[in-house]
mmCIF file of all heavy atoms in Angstrom:
data_model
loop_
_atom_site.group_PDB
_atom_site.id
_atom_site.type_symbol
_atom_site.label_atom_id
_atom_site.label_comp_id
_atom_site.label_asym_id
_atom_site.label_seq_id
_atom_site.Cartn_x
_atom_site.Cartn_y
_atom_site.Cartn_z
ATOM 1 N N PHE B 349 -38.589 -18.567 23.745
ATOM 2 C CA PHE B 349 -39.127 -17.351 24.141
ATOM 3 C C PHE B 349 -40.605 -17.515 24.610
ATOM 4 O O PHE B 349 -41.297 -18.377 24.139
ATOM 5 C CB PHE B 349 -39.153 -16.448 22.816
ATOM 6 C CG PHE B 349 -37.663 -16.275 22.210
ATOM 7 C CD1 PHE B 349 -37.389 -17.148 21.115
ATOM 8 C CD2 PHE B 349 -36.821 -15.507 22.848
ATOM 9 C CE1 PHE B 349 -36.137 -17.012 20.682
ATOM 10 C CE2 PHE B 349 -35.581 -15.332 22.314
ATOM 11 C CZ PHE B 349 -35.142 -16.127 21.239
ATOM 12 N N LYS B 350 -40.964 -16.651 25.532
ATOM 13 C CA LYS B 350 -42.256 -16.786 26.073
ATOM 14 C C LYS B 350 -43.450 -16.689 25.120
ATOM 15 O O LYS B 350 -44.354 -17.596 25.135
ATOM 16 C CB LYS B 350 -42.434 -15.656 27.211
ATOM 17 C CG LYS B 350 -43.681 -15.928 28.073
ATOM 18 C CD LYS B 350 -43.606 -15.148 29.328
ATOM 19 C CE LYS B 350 -44.904 -15.315 30.238
ATOM 20 N NZ LYS B 350 -45.097 -16.644 30.599
ATOM 21 N N LYS B 351 -43.238 -15.717 24.227
ATOM 22 C CA LYS B 351 -44.248 -15.590 23.182
ATOM 23 C C LYS B 351 -44.319 -16.924 22.303
ATOM 24 O O LYS B 351 -45.428 -17.180 21.636
ATOM 25 C CB LYS B 351 -44.033 -14.452 22.214
ATOM 26 C CG LYS B 351 -44.510 -13.117 22.937
ATOM 27 C CD LYS B 351 -44.604 -12.066 21.922
ATOM 28 C CE LYS B 351 -45.241 -10.759 22.475
ATOM 29 N NZ LYS B 351 -45.301 -9.652 21.619
ATOM 30 N N GLY B 352 -43.298 -17.616 22.077
ATOM 31 C CA GLY B 352 -43.204 -18.765 21.290
ATOM 32 C C GLY B 352 -43.982 -19.939 21.962
ATOM 33 O O GLY B 352 -44.145 -20.937 21.296
ATOM 34 N N ARG B 353 -44.283 -19.874 23.289
ATOM 35 C CA ARG B 353 -45.013 -20.789 23.986
ATOM 36 C C ARG B 353 -46.485 -20.442 24.221
ATOM 37 O O ARG B 353 -47.170 -21.218 24.834
ATOM 38 C CB ARG B 353 -44.396 -21.107 25.400
ATOM 39 C CG ARG B 353 -43.023 -21.537 25.272
ATOM 40 C CD ARG B 353 -42.489 -22.135 26.631
ATOM 41 N NE ARG B 353 -42.376 -21.160 27.736
ATOM 42 C CZ ARG B 353 -41.415 -20.355 27.913
ATOM 43 N NH1 ARG B 353 -40.381 -20.264 27.166
ATOM 44 N NH2 ARG B 353 -41.526 -19.441 28.821
ATOM 45 N N SER B 354 -46.970 -19.321 23.503
ATOM 46 C CA SER B 354 -48.321 -19.016 23.625
ATOM 47 C C SER B 354 -49.108 -20.088 22.736
ATOM 48 O O SER B 354 -48.527 -20.540 21.748
ATOM 49 C CB SER B 354 -48.592 -17.645 23.059
ATOM 50 O OG SER B 354 -48.157 -17.510 21.686
ATOM 51 N N PRO B 355 -50.311 -20.283 22.941
ATOM 52 C CA PRO B 355 -51.082 -21.360 22.220
ATOM 53 C C PRO B 355 -50.971 -21.157 20.728
ATOM 54 O O PRO B 355 -50.697 -22.169 19.949
ATOM 55 C CB PRO B 355 -52.422 -21.248 22.745
ATOM 56 C CG PRO B 355 -52.362 -20.655 24.125
ATOM 57 C CD PRO B 355 -51.183 -19.765 24.069
ATOM 58 N N GLY B 356 -51.240 -20.048 20.293
ATOM 59 C CA GLY B 356 -51.353 -19.786 18.780
ATOM 60 C C GLY B 356 -49.998 -20.106 18.188
ATOM 61 O O GLY B 356 -49.855 -20.860 17.208
ATOM 62 N N VAL B 357 -48.904 -19.414 18.699
ATOM 63 C CA VAL B 357 -47.615 -19.691 17.968
ATOM 64 C C VAL B 357 -47.096 -21.070 18.153
ATOM 65 O O VAL B 357 -46.699 -21.751 17.189
ATOM 66 C CB VAL B 357 -46.529 -18.666 18.776
ATOM 67 C CG1 VAL B 357 -45.153 -18.996 18.121
ATOM 68 C CG2 VAL B 357 -46.941 -17.263 18.562
ATOM 69 N N LEU B 358 -47.426 -21.666 19.348
ATOM 70 C CA LEU B 358 -46.897 -23.123 19.551
ATOM 71 C C LEU B 358 -47.558 -24.020 18.559
ATOM 72 O O LEU B 358 -47.104 -25.017 18.124
ATOM 73 C CB LEU B 358 -46.996 -23.477 20.951
ATOM 74 C CG LEU B 358 -46.227 -24.668 21.429
ATOM 75 C CD1 LEU B 358 -44.768 -24.335 21.388
ATOM 76 C CD2 LEU B 358 -46.477 -25.052 22.908
ATOM 77 N N ALA B 359 -48.961 -23.799 18.347
ATOM 78 C CA ALA B 359 -49.714 -24.533 17.438
ATOM 79 C C ALA B 359 -49.093 -24.557 16.092
ATOM 80 O O ALA B 359 -49.015 -25.551 15.273
ATOM 81 C CB ALA B 359 -51.160 -24.206 17.532
ATOM 82 N N VAL B 360 -48.753 -23.285 15.675
ATOM 83 C CA VAL B 360 -48.232 -23.132 14.257
ATOM 84 C C VAL B 360 -46.893 -23.900 14.132
ATOM 85 O O VAL B 360 -46.487 -24.566 13.287
ATOM 86 C CB VAL B 360 -47.981 -21.672 13.963
ATOM 87 C CG1 VAL B 360 -47.202 -21.456 12.707
ATOM 88 C CG2 VAL B 360 -49.271 -20.979 13.870
ATOM 89 N N VAL B 361 -45.989 -23.734 15.355
ATOM 90 C CA VAL B 361 -44.772 -24.547 15.422
ATOM 91 C C VAL B 361 -45.113 -26.007 15.278
ATOM 92 O O VAL B 361 -44.341 -26.797 14.481
ATOM 93 C CB VAL B 361 -44.011 -24.253 16.621
ATOM 94 C CG1 VAL B 361 -42.831 -25.186 16.852
ATOM 95 C CG2 VAL B 361 -43.503 -22.781 16.588
ATOM 96 N N GLY B 362 -46.130 -26.440 15.920
ATOM 97 C CA GLY B 362 -46.506 -27.945 15.941
ATOM 98 C C GLY B 362 -46.847 -28.357 14.509
ATOM 99 O O GLY B 362 -46.312 -29.480 14.139
ATOM 100 N N VAL B 363 -47.592 -27.533 13.775
ATOM 101 C CA VAL B 363 -48.005 -28.005 12.525
ATOM 102 C C VAL B 363 -46.741 -28.072 11.570
ATOM 103 O O VAL B 363 -46.516 -28.913 10.829
ATOM 104 C CB VAL B 363 -49.030 -27.078 11.854
ATOM 105 C CG1 VAL B 363 -49.208 -27.295 10.367
ATOM 106 C CG2 VAL B 363 -50.353 -27.189 12.665
#
Side-chain angles (χ1 to χ4, degrees):
Chain B
F349 305 100
K350 192 166 176 59
K351 278 196 173 176
R353 298 193 297 275
S354 65
V357 176
L358 203 60
V360 171
V361 170
V363 172

